Amino acid sequence: MTFGARMLKTGIAVTLALYISQWLHLSSPVISAVAAIFAMQPSIYRSWRYFLDQLQTNTLGAVLALIAGSVFSNEPIAVGLVCIIVIMICLKLKMGDTIGLTLVTVIIVMEASGQWQFALTRFSLSLIGIVSAFLINILLFPPKPKMQFTGQIQSTFNQMSLLMRTAISDEIKENIFRDKKRALEDSIKSLSDKYKLLEEEQKKLKRAKFSQTRHLVVYKQMLNTLRKGREVLDAVEEHYFQSERSPKLDTYFDHQLEKLIKLHEHVLLKFDDNLKPSSLDSCMLLEESDDFIKQVLEYAAEQPENRLRLSIVASTMYDYGYQLERLSRLVEHYHKTDDEALWLSWLKR
């Protein structure tokens, strides 16, 4: 885990919540600090959505807890039953992310045993923490999922490039290869989470520009292509080395992987507008991929015991090449086409 802005902002939000609670002379300020920790979110949209959801569920939870506290006092069974009811309501309202902090509010309000002034104080502390986290998140180093995504795309590709270029030659030690492959899988998962944030903001905020839609289409295909590249590594590890190969075949597969990873690198450079328009011919690579898989299948036909494993590896590489070709076409359209309907249709695929 690396130190990031979210860690820093969480600490500042906790500090702000504690200071506000002390300034207002509210007892048990630690409650506001706990609320601030729960409320820190990874994007502006999620911060706003979490703020609104927590306002609703916390108010509902506090009212139920106050009523239950008046009737049953703070009996443990009563507290547990109210928590169950609140969880059911939150799930019914599709606000599952708010359950944790809402239950904290329920418990501290029921502690008041029906004393509404005391309960109101405890509820106010929760709101102070939520508001503190919301304000700090949007004012101090506001989250920028797009910049994080684009930066991580290149670093993730570099991780995959090293593994892909050495997968067949088997130059890296096995334990190092496994460690780097796990790191690649973690990076792709992290990219998936960041893409979800981008997509969420695009669909929910209702103020997305056309340029944002185009970016989202390309980012989605970039992520899909990285996933296909990881599948190639999986196929090589699980099937390629379990089949009998000749040095010539190793060289043939290695050269094809080198072509694929080189195209991937060129497409990323082209997206950043760092290449000349005529420097990339993805259609030619697709034709080469067709020839590659045909020759592999012909070879496998002569070696029946190797047919299935080699075919799996070759078809996975072909699929990776196809996704690269599609990404290349999207990048070309990105720099040339302003047809909004076309980009929206691609986004739905």
Side-chain angles (χ1 to χ4, degrees):
M1 182 180 292
T2 57
F3 181 82
R6 190 176 176 186
M7 296 182 185
L8 176 64
K9 291 191 291 185
T10 299
I12 295 174
V14 167
T15 303
L16 177 62
L18 290 172
Y19 270 126
I20 294 175
S21 301
Q22 293 174 1
W23 179 64
L24 295 175
H25 303 290
L26 299 175
S27 60
S28 302
V30 69
I31 296 172
S32 63
V34 172
I37 294 171
F38 273 101
M40 188 58 64
Q41 297 295 307
S43 72
I44 297 297
Y45 168 74
R46 285 196 180 179
S47 292
W48 175 244
R49 186 72 263 167
Y50 190 85
F51 172 74
L52 294 179
D53 290 348
Q54 282 289 3
L55 193 60
Q56 297 176 59
T57 57
N58 266 264
T59 302
L60 180 61
V63 171
L64 291 175
L66 187 59
I67 295 173
S70 301
V71 177
F72 303 106
S73 185
N74 57 0
E75 290 293 326
I77 294 179
V79 175
L81 288 174
V82 174
C83 286
I84 293 173
I85 294 172
V86 169
I87 291 174
M88 292 172 63
I89 293 174
C90 289
L91 293 176
K92 187 68 175 179
L93 296 174
K94 297 182 180 179
M95 298 179 182
D97 293 340
T98 67
I99 289 175
L101 185 53
T102 303
L103 292 181
V104 172
T105 301
V106 168
I107 294 171
I108 60 180
V109 169
M110 286 199 72
E111 182 188 2
S113 302
Q115 301 176 26
W116 69 269
Q117 298 95 335
F118 187 76
L120 181 61
T121 299
R122 293 293 193 265
F123 178 64
S124 300
L125 286 166
S126 294
L127 290 183
I128 288 172
I130 296 170
V131 172
S132 297
F134 175 71
L135 292 176
I136 292 298
N137 202 29
I138 64 174
L139 296 177
L140 184 66
F141 307 121
K144 297 179 179 178
K146 180 180 174 181
M147 291 182 60
Q148 295 172 350
F149 185 90
T150 53
Q152 196 171 341
I153 277 285
Q154 186 60 52
S155 63
T156 303
F157 167 75
N158 291 338
Q159 289 176 288
M160 192 177 75
S161 175
L162 173 64
L163 294 173
M164 196 84 77
R165 286 188 163 108
T166 57
I168 300 297
S169 59
D170 201 21
E171 297 171 330
I172 298 182
K173 293 180 179 179
E174 291 184 4
N175 61 324
I176 302 298
F177 184 89
R178 285 195 298 268
D179 291 342
K180 289 185 176 296
K181 188 166 176 289
R182 279 195 293 267
L184 173 64
E185 291 168 354
D186 292 340
S187 296
I188 292 177
K189 183 179 182 300
S190 177
L191 275 172
S192 299
D193 294 338
K194 288 182 174 61
Y195 177 79
K196 288 178 182 177
L197 293 178
L198 291 169
E199 190 176 41
E200 195 173 56
E201 290 189 344
Q202 169 84 1
K203 292 180 178 179
K204 302 294 185 180
L205 290 184
K206 298 181 180 180
R207 57 176 176 80
K209 298 178 181 178
F210 171 54
S211 60
Q212 293 174 316
T213 301
R214 294 200 302 172
H215 275 98
L216 202 60
V217 172
V218 179
Y219 292 161
K220 183 178 181 180
Q221 184 58 26
M222 284 181 174
L223 182 57
N224 288 338
T225 305
L226 285 172
R227 287 171 176 160
K228 291 298 179 181
R230 188 209 62 207
E231 290 177 10
V232 170
L233 293 172
D234 291 338
V236 170
E237 186 177 21
E238 294 174 9
H239 299 288
Y240 188 79
F241 294 109
Q242 281 69 32
S243 60
E244 296 182 6
R245 304 107 46 210
S246 64
K248 182 179 180 181
L249 188 66
D250 286 343
T251 302
Y252 191 48
F253 269 83
D254 196 29
H255 285 175
Q256 182 64 17
L257 282 177
E258 182 68 31
K259 292 177 184 178
L260 291 170
I261 207 68
K262 185 176 181 180
L263 173 64
H264 201 157
E265 182 179 36
H266 278 217
V267 173
L268 294 180
L269 288 171
K270 192 169 186 179
F271 176 72
D272 293 330
D273 205 18
N274 292 329
L275 294 181
K276 297 177 181 179
S278 59
S279 63
L280 189 64
D281 190 354
S282 58
C283 293
M284 183 178 294
L285 180 101
L286 197 59
E287 293 176 2
E288 293 177 355
S289 294
D290 289 337
D291 294 336
F292 168 76
I293 196 169
K294 288 177 182 177
Q295 292 187 36
V296 170
L297 291 176
E298 289 176 1
Y299 173 83
E302 300 172 1
Q303 306 287 334
E305 65 277 9
N306 297 325
R307 181 184 304 171
L308 180 59
R309 291 186 181 276
L310 289 176
S311 298
I312 290 174
V313 177
S315 61
T316 308
M317 291 171 62
Y318 179 84
D319 196 14
Y320 175 46
Y322 172 77
Q323 295 299 329
L324 280 172
E325 191 271 339
R326 186 169 185 268
L327 176 60
S328 178
R329 284 189 289 111
L330 283 176
V331 169
E332 290 174 2
H333 284 295
Y334 173 82
H335 291 295
K336 297 178 182 178
T337 305
D338 292 325
D339 187 348
E340 185 171 2
L342 178 63
W343 287 102
L344 288 174
S345 66
W346 271 331
L347 185 59
K348 295 176 182 178
R349 293 179 182 179

Short mmCIF file of all heavy atoms in Angstrom, two decimals, residues 63 138 185 188 269:
data_model
loop_
_atom_site.label_atom_id
_atom_site.label_comp_id
_atom_site.label_asym_id
_atom_site.label_seq_id
_atom_site.Cartn_x
_atom_site.Cartn_y
_atom_site.Cartn_z
N VAL A 63 -34.18 8.27 14.02
CA VAL A 63 -35.59 8.34 14.43
C VAL A 63 -36.05 6.99 14.99
O VAL A 63 -36.68 6.92 16.06
CB VAL A 63 -36.48 8.76 13.24
CG1 VAL A 63 -37.97 8.60 13.59
CG2 VAL A 63 -36.18 10.20 12.84
N ILE A 138 -13.73 17.35 -1.61
CA ILE A 138 -13.94 18.15 -2.82
C ILE A 138 -13.07 19.40 -2.87
O ILE A 138 -12.86 19.97 -3.95
CB ILE A 138 -15.42 18.55 -2.98
CG1 ILE A 138 -15.89 19.46 -1.84
CG2 ILE A 138 -16.31 17.32 -3.08
CD1 ILE A 138 -17.29 20.00 -2.02
N GLU A 185 -1.95 -8.67 -12.15
CA GLU A 185 -3.37 -8.93 -11.89
C GLU A 185 -3.95 -7.89 -10.93
O GLU A 185 -5.08 -7.42 -11.11
CB GLU A 185 -3.54 -10.34 -11.33
CG GLU A 185 -3.24 -11.43 -12.36
CD GLU A 185 -3.13 -12.80 -11.73
OE1 GLU A 185 -3.17 -12.89 -10.48
OE2 GLU A 185 -3.01 -13.79 -12.48
N ILE A 188 -4.46 -4.61 -12.87
CA ILE A 188 -5.63 -4.65 -13.75
C ILE A 188 -6.91 -4.52 -12.93
O ILE A 188 -7.86 -3.84 -13.33
CB ILE A 188 -5.62 -5.94 -14.59
CG1 ILE A 188 -4.46 -5.91 -15.59
CG2 ILE A 188 -6.95 -6.11 -15.34
CD1 ILE A 188 -4.32 -7.17 -16.41
N LEU A 269 1.02 4.88 -27.73
CA LEU A 269 1.72 6.08 -28.17
C LEU A 269 0.86 6.89 -29.13
O LEU A 269 0.86 8.13 -29.10
CB LEU A 269 3.04 5.70 -28.83
CG LEU A 269 4.15 5.18 -27.91
CD1 LEU A 269 5.31 4.63 -28.72
CD2 LEU A 269 4.63 6.29 -26.98
#
